[in-house]
Amino acid sequence: MQLDKVVNYHKALADPTRIKILILLAEGELNGQVLAEKIGVTPATITHHAAKLREASLIKERRDKNTIYFSLNHYFIKNSASATENLIYQRVSPERTAERNLDADQQLRESVIKNFFTQDGRLKSIPAQLKKKLIVLTHIVSMLENGRKYSEKEINEFISGFHEDFATIRREFIMHHFMYRDNGAYELNPREMWARWEDLK
């Protein structure tokens, strides 16, 4: 039964358009028309692929009048990804599995930093993939001082040292709980609140 669930999960993912839909929905709820425009397909194509994803419990949907909105089923996605890993490594000791995960995480982090930053530390582009984006954001935000309150101007100037689109990155800091804003002042949240790229499969 566990094997059947894992196979069905990966069948639902076995299409580039479906993967793109999930990536976009990772940033929040969207309707079919918006998804179609962002991916560059027809609304009918979105309806077709959304049905496959819904059947596999990867997404949820709600109707508001004549518009259907889609969102990720975070719990099922994460648990299915874990089930795949557990099934494959079921004969491997927990210690070796933990070591493998740590090594893989470190290699991924180093690869993303190398690929998305220039030698002088400038960000080449903001990653579209959520996991890589969180690695980049964590790298940048880690250079701010704990306990210090920054004005919006100071944050903008800090981010501009990495990338010209300071407004987008500033919003990402807030959206992923790296920082919070209070009366125009920005301050780091405790690291425990930061969105963890390591938890994404």
Side-chain angles (χ1 to χ4, degrees):
M1 181 58 70
Q2 183 74 358
L3 179 60
D4 290 341
K5 288 182 179 179
V6 168
V7 170
N8 290 335
Y9 167 72
H10 287 281
K11 279 183 178 178
L13 293 177
D15 186 277
T17 299
R18 292 176 208 159
I19 296 292
K20 290 175 183 177
I21 290 172
L22 295 176
I23 291 171
L24 289 170
L25 292 180
E27 300 178 359
E29 184 182 66
L30 294 171
N31 63 49
Q33 182 65 42
V34 172
L35 285 169
E37 292 172 358
K38 286 179 175 288
I39 297 175
V41 297
T42 64
T45 299
I46 294 295
T47 299
H48 167 74
H49 288 296
K52 298 291 185 182
L53 292 171
R54 188 179 64 253
E55 288 171 8
S57 299
L58 293 173
I59 65 172
K60 298 177 286 186
E61 66 176 46
R62 70 173 181 88
R63 180 181 293 274
D64 184 2
K65 297 180 181 178
N66 294 325
T67 303
I68 297 177
Y69 291 88
F70 302 103
S71 60
L72 292 187
N73 186 344
H74 298 284
Y75 177 83
F76 189 87
I77 290 174
K78 291 180 180 179
N79 278 271
S80 296
S82 297
T84 301
E85 183 178 17
N86 292 337
L87 183 66
I88 293 171
Y89 292 102
Q90 58 185 309
R91 298 178 184 274
V92 180
S93 67
E95 293 79 9
R96 289 184 60 189
T97 302
E99 289 175 6
R100 188 196 71 255
N101 289 342
L102 183 61
D103 290 343
D105 284 349
Q106 182 65 22
Q107 289 174 9
L108 175 61
R109 180 185 178 280
E110 291 175 357
S111 174
V112 170
I113 298 301
K114 179 180 179 180
N115 291 332
F116 281 89
F117 287 88
T118 63
Q119 289 187 342
D120 60 356
R122 292 281 298 176
L123 179 61
K124 299 175 186 177
S125 63
I126 302 172
Q129 183 185 356
L130 179 59
K131 189 167 191 174
K132 292 179 180 179
K133 183 192 296 183
L134 290 178
I135 291 174
V136 164
L137 294 174
T138 301
H139 177 72
I140 295 174
V141 83
S142 295
M143 300 182 194
L144 291 169
E145 297 178 30
N146 278 312
R148 175 178 169 182
K149 293 184 183 295
Y150 294 86
S151 67
E152 187 165 297
K153 180 182 178 182
E154 288 174 322
I155 286 294
N156 291 345
E157 290 175 350
F158 167 78
I159 297 172
S160 295
F162 296 92
H163 195 272
E164 63 273 9
D165 191 357
F166 57 81
T168 294
I169 294 178
R170 190 183 68 232
R171 286 194 299 271
E172 295 281 355
F173 283 169
I174 301 297
M175 184 186 309
H176 297 292
H177 307 295
F178 292 104
M179 306 190 79
Y180 70 94
R181 180 181 178 182
D182 184 26
N183 292 324
Y186 292 77
E187 188 173 350
L188 285 175
N189 278 319
R191 289 189 77 97
E192 293 78 13
M193 293 180 61
W194 296 6
R196 284 175 46 84
W197 60 267
E198 298 94 330
D199 294 338
L200 298 176
K201 299 296 182 181

